[in-house]
Amino acid sequence: MKLKKKKRMKKNSLLIICTVIALSILPGCSTTKHLPEGEVLYKGVKKFNVENQDYGLNGTEAYEEVVGALSMPTNSWFPFGLWVYNRFERYEKGFGKWIFKKFAADPVLLSSVNPDTRVKVASNLLHDYGYFNGTVSYQVDTLKNPRKAKLNYFIDMGKPYLIDTLTYEGFSPKVDSLIHKWEYKKLIHSGDNFNVIRLNEERQRLIDLLRDHGYYYARNEFLTFLADTIMRPGYVCLKIIPKSNIPKEALRTYYLGNTSVHLTGYKGEEPVDSVTHQDFTIHYAGKKPGIRYNVLRKRFIYMKGETYSQTRQNYTQEALARLGAFKYSEFQYTPRSKDSDTLDIRVNTMFDLPYNSELELNVTTKSTKQTGPGAIFNLSRRNFRGMGATLNLELKGSYEWQTSSTVDGESSVMNSYEMGAALSLEFPRLVIPWVKDRVDPFRYPSQTNFKIYVEQVNRAKYFKMLSFGGNISYSFQPSRSMKHTVTPLHLSFDHLQHHTAAFDSISTANPMLFRSLNDQFIPSMTYTLTYDNTWKKKTTRVWWENSITSAGNITSLIYLACGKGLKDRDKKFIGTPFAQFLKVNSEIRPLFYLSDKQQIALRFTGGVIWAYGNRTIAPYSEQFYVGGANSIRAFTIRSIGPGRFHPAKNVSYSYIDETGDIKLEANAEYRFRILSNFLGGNLNGAVFMDAGNVWLMRKDEARPGAEFTFKRFFDSVALGTGIGIRYDLSFLILRLDWGIALHVPYDTGKSGYYNIPRFKDGSGLHFAIGYPF
């Protein structure tokens, strides 16, 4: 009772304070009354007036930089803070001073915007992008209240200057030879727009090149540019030359000497002992290093006597970071003597905390009208047994109950739950027992994962299923854009522990569905190839992934060796029939980068699964479906297909039926900026269109029209459009999409391509994290 009374008093006090403030400021709601003498309130930019605008990529970048330099946020459109400022600014103490500190907002003054300085900065930006004749000016637009003003900016971009020639002069013969050997990688070419950013990138490329070939002390400030705009009007002739005062250390190449690694304990324990093998020494705290010698030594991808290379150092630091054992790794290079060309390396590292845990709580709402709480707990042990591997234990569980529907006349009776556990051991390298020679895992990330899991699924009034298994997978990258993932062994056992009379009635009406959920053993292997160049600064960026999965073939060959034919049915492993299928997936995502504020994103995805031999029905977990926040957003998950089939409205288990063996889907999305720097992030918008469906490979009498045919193919493709907003915090993207259906592949009783009976029946609202693709 006392607690409730305190809360009530607190609410009443807050109400009284708000009432006092309102009564104080409402009689004279002025935002300028108490501004400092001679000051004007800034109300934003009225208009950017642009002449000779360049709509190319270089021009768009320049224009956005200029607008960013000229723009400055104003006070909130609802000026409550300014009202408080003007009403309580005069108070120096007491209640009025407290209200001022708590609720007042400092006015954004025209003098603080400083348009003269902003215009100079914007003009310099135009020059940096090659618009040497470009000009920027402004005009103050006084409003009805003379103490308020907006700014008009006038931007004349002029004609951009282009690159005529780029030459490298004044270097030593050795450096000059090196530069010309790698000249094909230069970033500036004749005919390009002059751009200071590109010049700096080219200078950085040269310094990186020198540091990769032994010039340890090479620095950006040792190179400079000479530019001539007179020789050819409208063009710039460029020279890159070394400065005259470069230290002699920067003009010589260096070689690598001995390496010593100092391992500090995660509590700050300093090394007290060491172990040395040839040129490599480990200094450690405690009785032993805490990480195996070979594991640590193999992260260093250089040998004594090699030429210093910045790239090899970067790869070594990345390899150390991927071990997950250290908080940081700091490299120090020291010449052995004043005139020595040998660098000894000292690496300072500190062990990270050995354990890490995460708890994720969520509330899930599914398209099956089921909702409920869930939790995932993850416990990780870094540097497990000194191997530089991570041991992960994951425990998860969720409970769901059906809402807004009835089952056999009773509401909210389909209570379900899921729970599971998984144990995995991840190595940041390739672990292949029969291959002794090291496969280079250092230049780009590689990983080996060993995993076992068990899951229990209970669908009340229908069935209870136990699934368990494990897999071994390898992933490696021969280049930054190309990634291979191989899962040579994936074993999965699905056991239908219990099923009810209601489930039996479903299986009688739909035997294909029952067979896809029945007991089975799924031994499979998968290969995935991923191409990703989105890290490149290109106007067109592509992510493309292809995978192929084969199940049951090795097991079938074992049976063949034992005398059973390939066409024999009901072959079993440990008393359980095993599945045989071939599954192929492909997904490509082109991204057309118009500017930082505008992109066009596309996605095309397709897949097919063919079950044969021992089982002619693919496992339910391997079948395809469409719909939902990351698919066709006008529809919920598993609410479309297969083909032109649509279950009856009164079938509570209809979502189980809507999967298929073939999937085709296409998505297009135009993304644009709405507001920059909005509450610490960017507010973006999107307009999208989605299309697709799933189909069956074989005819199913229980699902008429579900099989794939070319007849009326386009009519069997669901189509939707919609709009969305995204709140981008850089580290987190919150997304809200409103999808609007335009066409469904089944008969709705309404003629024409737009066959949605009622507008409200053809829309879906999705809240999600991250982009859909």
Side-chain angles (χ1 to χ4, degrees), residues 377-425:
F377 175 72
N378 191 293
L379 178 64
S380 300
R381 174 62 166 91
R382 299 187 180 99
N383 192 26
F384 179 67
R385 299 183 65 83
M387 297 186 297
T390 302
L391 183 68
N392 295 305
L393 173 64
E394 181 182 272
L395 302 174
K396 63 180 180 180
S398 63
Y399 183 80
E400 305 169 353
W401 58 87
Q402 190 167 0
T403 61
S404 304
S405 65
T406 60
V407 179
D408 295 337
E410 301 177 24
S411 61
S412 300
V413 297
M414 189 176 171
N415 298 319
S416 304
Y417 65 82
E418 296 183 18
M419 56 184 179
L423 186 67
S424 63
L425 186 61

Side-chain angles (χ1 to χ4, degrees), residues 53 79 151 154 211 228 278 313 334 336 338 351 365 449 489 503 549 563 575 615 660 678 682 708 726 728 741 753:
Q53 185 167 358
L151 291 173
F154 301 90
R211 286 177 61 81
D228 187 338
Q278 295 180 352
Q313 175 189 314
T334 306
R336 287 186 175 176
K338 184 177 181 181
F351 280 106
T365 301
N449 184 286
L489 182 64
F503 182 82
T549 301
R615 283 289 179 102
F678 177 73
N682 294 325
F708 181 86
R726 292 94 165 85
D728 188 352
Y753 187 78

Side-chain angles (χ1 to χ4, degrees), residues 142-154:
T142 305
L143 305 179
K144 292 181 180 180
N145 183 343
R147 303 203 69 184
K148 295 181 181 180
K150 287 189 173 185
L151 291 173
N152 270 311
Y153 286 107
F154 301 90

Side-chain angles (χ1 to χ4, degrees), residues 686-731:
V687 178
F688 57 83
M689 180 167 287
D690 308 315
N693 202 347
V694 295
W695 294 264
L696 297 182
M697 294 282 284
R698 298 177 174 91
K699 190 173 183 179
D700 182 4
E701 297 296 339
R703 289 181 283 181
E707 70 276 9
F708 181 86
T709 62
F710 287 103
K711 183 180 180 181
R712 300 186 68 184
F713 168 76
F714 290 102
D715 283 340
S716 66
V717 175
L719 180 67
T721 186
I723 57 175
I725 56 174
R726 292 94 165 85
Y727 183 39
D728 188 352
L729 292 169
S730 70
F731 63 91

